[in-house]
Amino acid sequence: MYYFLSNLSFIEILMTSSLVPKMLANFLSEKKAISFTGCFSQLFFYFFMGTTEFILFAIMSYDRYVAICNPLRYSTIMTGKICIQLVIGSWAGGLFMILSSLILKAQLPYCGPNVINHYFCDSAPLLHLACADVQLIEFIDFIVSLVLLLGSLSLTVVSYAYIISTILKIPSAQGRQKAFATCASHFTVVSLGFGITMFVYVRPSQSDSMKFNKILSVLSSIVTPLLNPFIFSLRNEQMKEALKDAVKKYLLITQWAGMS
């Protein structure tokens, strides 16, 4: 589980690093410009990391299924070699799924005013600047998003159906609570990711409701990665104890400073 979480953290660091620095620079600058190469770099890293993340969500669902439904066989099924292969497969799958659409977008002719109606180079506002028919590219994006999200969602739903069925058969309430706690963080993160992304990208045409899409994109690309470490770590008892100790030390220091 921690191996997959470390890869998820790395993916989200790369995703936010490709967007946030330029966004903050634009806040502080009167000239808000980005080069063609920089724009496509943002587009590539955002969708590559996002696609890889959803494949990894499905892998993590399967990992939780094996851990809860087959705990005695977990170490023999989820070996170190298998985990490495699954992660490599998620990265390779993410690259393969976005490559054709990205190449077609790079070959499009773009005309003025070259103003992107977004805080980064997202697919829909970029296609809005193209001086050519983009229906084929929009259709490819729609099919790729549909296959990716529904495929990942289906595996996640099936895994959690088996997980819930197994948990409900546990006789003790403490055992059921512990099993639910193991999956709660992953389920919360997956629900946020699927809910926002399916609403924004799984549509035949992405040119409508662009203002609302910008708000949702902020949630998926900035707010969710910010919340994920807290969602996962606060389920960990050691992290809870460390946080309590830090709060106690802070309160003692502030009391001591007030008395002096």
Side-chain angles (χ1 to χ4, degrees):
M1 181 179 68
Y2 290 111
Y3 176 69
F4 293 131
L5 282 177
S6 64
N7 277 275
L8 179 64
S9 300
F10 182 65
I11 287 169
E12 292 187 335
I13 288 169
L14 287 179
M15 182 190 291
T16 53
S17 297
S18 67
L19 305 180
V20 176
K22 184 62 180 176
M23 182 186 70
L24 295 177
N26 286 338
F27 283 153
L28 301 173
S29 173
E30 293 184 4
K31 184 181 179 183
K32 308 179 192 305
I34 188 170
S35 65
F36 183 81
T37 304
C39 183
F40 268 84
S41 295
Q42 276 194 342
L43 187 73
F44 170 75
F45 279 106
Y46 177 72
F47 283 101
F48 179 30
M49 294 302 110
T51 305
T52 305
E53 183 176 48
F54 280 102
I55 298 173
L56 192 60
F57 280 157
I59 292 171
M60 292 172 72
S61 300
Y62 176 72
D63 174 67
R64 294 298 84 207
Y65 158 74
V66 177
I68 290 175
C69 299
N70 297 283
L72 299 179
R73 298 176 57 202
Y74 181 80
S75 59
T76 57
I77 296 174
M78 300 300 292
T79 61
K81 182 179 179 181
I82 293 295
C83 291
I84 291 171
Q85 289 174 347
L86 288 171
V87 168
I88 292 173
S90 69
W91 285 82
L95 180 63
F96 175 76
M97 294 188 82
I98 68 159
L99 205 54
S100 60
S101 175
L102 192 73
I103 291 171
L104 290 174
K105 288 170 186 171
Q107 294 174 345
L108 286 173
Y110 294 94
C111 53
N114 292 339
V115 177
I116 298 174
N117 185 20
H118 214 296
Y119 69 92
F120 77 100
C121 289
D122 199 1
S123 177
L126 186 66
L127 290 177
H128 191 67
L129 304 181
C131 305
D133 185 9
V134 296
Q135 287 186 349
L136 175 61
I137 298 176
E138 286 190 329
F139 180 72
I140 291 172
D141 285 344
F142 170 68
I143 294 299
V144 169
S145 300
L146 196 66
V147 171
L148 170 69
L149 295 175
L150 291 185
S152 180
L153 182 62
S154 298
L155 182 57
T156 301
V157 169
V158 170
S159 297
Y160 272 96
Y162 279 106
I163 287 169
I164 292 170
S165 175
T166 302
I167 290 174
L168 293 176
K169 293 176 184 177
I170 297 174
S172 68
Q174 186 177 2
R176 288 195 298 269
Q177 185 178 1
K178 185 177 180 181
F180 272 120
T182 304
C183 303
S185 302
H186 176 255
F187 185 76
T188 304
V189 170
V190 167
S191 300
L192 284 171
F194 278 116
I196 296 170
T197 306
M198 289 185 75
F199 190 85
V200 175
Y201 294 109
V202 186
R203 286 182 296 173
S205 177
Q206 299 176 19
S207 59
D208 303 325
S209 306
M210 208 169 290
K211 290 183 179 180
F212 188 55
N213 285 358
K214 282 189 279 188
I215 299 171
L216 293 175
S217 295
V218 170
L219 293 175
S220 65
S221 61
I222 299 174
V223 177
T224 302
L226 178 67
L227 294 177
N228 283 352
F230 297 99
I231 294 171
F232 280 110
S233 61
L234 289 179
R235 291 284 174 183
N236 187 301
E237 291 299 326
Q238 291 177 332
M239 287 295 297
K240 286 182 180 179
E241 292 299 323
L243 184 62
K244 288 178 183 178
D245 291 341
V247 171
K248 287 178 182 178
K249 288 179 181 178
Y250 174 76
L251 292 174
L252 287 172
I253 291 170
T254 52
Q255 287 178 0
W256 180 80
M259 291 173 62
S260 59

